């Protein structure tokens, strides 16, 4: 240090020596000064990170790990694993959630690690909740988190995570049914339309809105569906459609089940065969023990097979308990 008083490396070496002797306070001061003079001293930053973690100074540790994440690209996977493990410690969670809100790339990698583990979805949701989900960027975590929450039956949290990832332009289309006019709006599954093209039917969006369906009428065919999260109450489902030269023999119809329980049918209605737009639907009730509902459109062949072609214009659900 006498030969190069402004150099950083001698300060790091002396600090490391003091640290090995147990003189932690003096070591910390020297090493902190070393990284101030040379921010790219990786070993020094690693020492400071370990020291901060040992003393549960999580904000300081995260600052050093953030530098290491930037400086040492090959070490990013290991750092992400370490951060994901740290995030599951209750004492560190508030610091990590606050830090994650300011570091999108860092947050994405940690959330991805948590999704690969058996982490509590509430923690992942909290990490994502600190982000601005409408800044045009797509986080890997959102769709994975939604899938995990749906699989575990935590539909309300899944829906909130899904909404948080939507761009601002799509928020006005949120309702009991999303993208009710079939404008191919952004949004992950299962709270957006899932189109099921197959050898037995084709389903395509129409420019300007609507859905064009060609059902060949030879075998049963699933056409599309969407998962809904309706609170308990009384409702009416209404769909508007018109035919494009349909056969009377094959039927296309809507069904609404409680989740994926095929034994709990809430309502059903056939799509009418008519050259002009016709609305048809059904009234139904959602019980308190039905936290999610599956709205589906399916084709059913008749004794005499025949193709059916039609356009679905729009769908909507009206709350009968509060019609205003």
């Amino acid at each position: 240090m006498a030969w190069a008083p402004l150099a950083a490396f001698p300060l790091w070496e002396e600090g490391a020596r003091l640290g090995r002797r147990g003189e932690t306070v003096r070591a910390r001061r020297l090493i902190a000064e070393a990284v101030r003079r040379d921010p790219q001293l990786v070993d020094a930053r690693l020492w400071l990170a370990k020291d901060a973690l040992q003393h549960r100074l999580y904000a300081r540790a995260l600052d050093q790990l953030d530098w290491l994440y930037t400086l040492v690209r090959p070490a990013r996977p290991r750092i992400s694993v370490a951060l994901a493990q740290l995030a599951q410690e209750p004492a560190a969670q508030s610091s990590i959630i606050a830090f994650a809100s300011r570091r999108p790339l860092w947050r994405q990698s940690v959330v991805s690690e948590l999704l690969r583990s058996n982490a509590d979805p509430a923690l992942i949701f909290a990490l994502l909740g600190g982000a601005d989900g409408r800044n045009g960027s797509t986080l890997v975590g959102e769709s994975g988190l939604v899938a995990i929450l749906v699989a575990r039956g935590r539909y309300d949290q899944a829906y909130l995570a899904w909404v948080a990832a939507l761009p601002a332009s799509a928020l006005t289309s949120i309702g009991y049914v999303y993208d009710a006019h079939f404008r191919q709006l952004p949004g992950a599954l299962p709270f957006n339309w899932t189109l099921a093209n197959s050898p037995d039917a084709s389903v395509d969006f129409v420019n300007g809105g609507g859905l064009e369906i060609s059902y060949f009428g030879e075998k049963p065919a699933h056409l599309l569906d969407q998962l809904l999260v309706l609170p308990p109450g009384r409702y009416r489902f209404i769909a508007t459609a018109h035919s494009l030269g349909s056969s009377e023999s094959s039927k296309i119809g809507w069904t609404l089940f409680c989740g994926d329980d095929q034994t709990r049918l809430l309502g059903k209605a056939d799509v009418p065969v008519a050259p002009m737009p016709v609305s048809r639907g059904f009234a139904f009730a959602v019980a308190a023990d039905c936290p999610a509902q599956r709205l589906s459109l399916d084709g059913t062949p008749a004794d005499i097979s025949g193709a059916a072609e039609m356009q679905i214009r729009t769908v909507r659900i009206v709350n009968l308990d509060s019609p205003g």
Side-chain angles (χ1 to χ4, degrees), residues 15 32 43 57 66 74 79 81 108 147 150 155 160 205 251 255 257 287 294 303 314 317 319:
D43 290 340
L57 302 172
D66 186 42
I79 294 174
V81 171
Q108 178 174 323
V150 167
Y155 299 107
L160 289 174
F205 287 101
K251 299 294 183 182
T255 56
F257 288 95
R294 178 77 64 178
D303 294 335
T314 183
I317 290 178
N319 189 331

Side-chain angles (χ1 to χ4, degrees), residues 13-317:
E13 282 193 320
E14 179 62 14
R17 186 184 68 82
L18 292 173
R20 289 192 294 270
R21 290 173 50 182
E23 299 182 41
T24 306
V25 175
R26 293 178 61 196
R28 188 182 302 130
R29 291 174 180 170
L30 287 176
I31 296 172
E33 177 61 22
V35 298
R36 189 188 70 82
R37 296 185 183 189
D38 183 0
Q40 298 191 43
L41 279 179
V42 171
D43 290 340
R45 288 197 178 277
L46 185 59
W47 190 97
L48 289 172
K50 290 179 177 179
D51 175 66
L53 289 173
Q54 183 177 358
H55 292 86
R56 298 190 176 185
L57 302 172
Y58 297 114
R60 292 186 186 181
L62 289 171
D63 184 57
Q64 297 302 328
L65 290 171
D66 186 42
W67 273 96
L68 292 168
Y69 192 88
T70 302
L71 292 172
V72 191
R73 186 176 294 270
R76 286 184 178 182
R78 285 189 297 166
I79 294 174
S80 296
V81 171
L83 289 170
Q85 293 173 346
L86 183 62
Q88 297 180 70
E89 295 185 15
Q93 286 180 6
S94 60
S95 296
I96 289 183
I97 291 169
F99 198 84
S101 67
R102 304 189 300 271
R103 296 292 191 276
L105 179 62
W106 181 92
R107 178 184 61 241
Q108 178 174 323
S109 63
V110 174
V111 166
S112 297
E113 285 298 328
L114 289 171
L115 288 169
R116 281 192 282 269
S117 67
N118 196 27
D120 183 359
L123 169 61
I124 306 173
F125 183 71
L127 283 167
L128 293 173
D132 181 2
R134 303 180 183 93
N135 59 6
S137 63
T138 300
L139 296 178
V140 170
E142 249 89 7
S143 59
L145 173 61
V146 169
I148 287 177
L149 291 171
V150 167
R152 297 183 183 181
R154 299 168 73 165
Y155 299 107
D156 287 341
Q157 286 187 338
Y159 187 75
L160 289 174
W162 176 80
V163 170
L166 290 177
S169 59
L171 296 181
T172 57
S173 296
I174 293 177
Y176 292 130
V177 181
Y178 180 66
D179 194 9
H181 296 278
F182 301 101
R183 292 172 179 159
Q184 205 169 356
L185 297 178
L189 306 179
F191 299 112
N192 200 349
W193 293 113
T194 303
L195 274 59
N197 284 293
S198 70
D200 302 304
S202 65
V203 186
D204 296 295
F205 287 101
V206 177
N207 289 336
L211 208 63
E212 191 166 295
I213 296 172
S214 295
Y215 170 52
F216 308 128
E218 297 179 356
K219 298 178 181 179
H222 178 61
L223 303 173
L224 73 151
D225 65 79
Q226 183 179 137
L227 190 67
L228 313 179
V229 182
L230 301 173
R234 299 181 305 118
Y235 300 88
R236 179 174 293 279
F237 170 79
I238 304 168
T240 303
H242 69 277
S243 63
L244 302 170
S246 303
S247 167
E248 292 283 354
S249 58
S250 299
K251 299 294 183 182
I252 294 178
W254 295 97
T255 56
L256 182 67
F257 288 95
C258 181
D260 292 319
D261 185 352
Q262 298 292 308
T263 67
R264 297 187 65 180
L265 177 66
L266 302 180
K268 64 179 181 177
D270 289 337
V271 177
V273 178
M276 300 297 290
V278 175
S279 297
R280 186 172 293 179
F282 52 85
F284 65 96
V286 174
D289 63 346
C290 182
Q293 306 79 36
R294 178 77 64 178
L295 177 63
S296 301
L297 185 66
D298 298 273
T300 304
D303 294 335
I304 301 175
S305 63
E309 296 185 5
M310 60 185 57
Q311 186 178 119
I312 309 295
R313 303 287 292 273
T314 183
V315 298
R316 62 191 178 105
I317 290 178

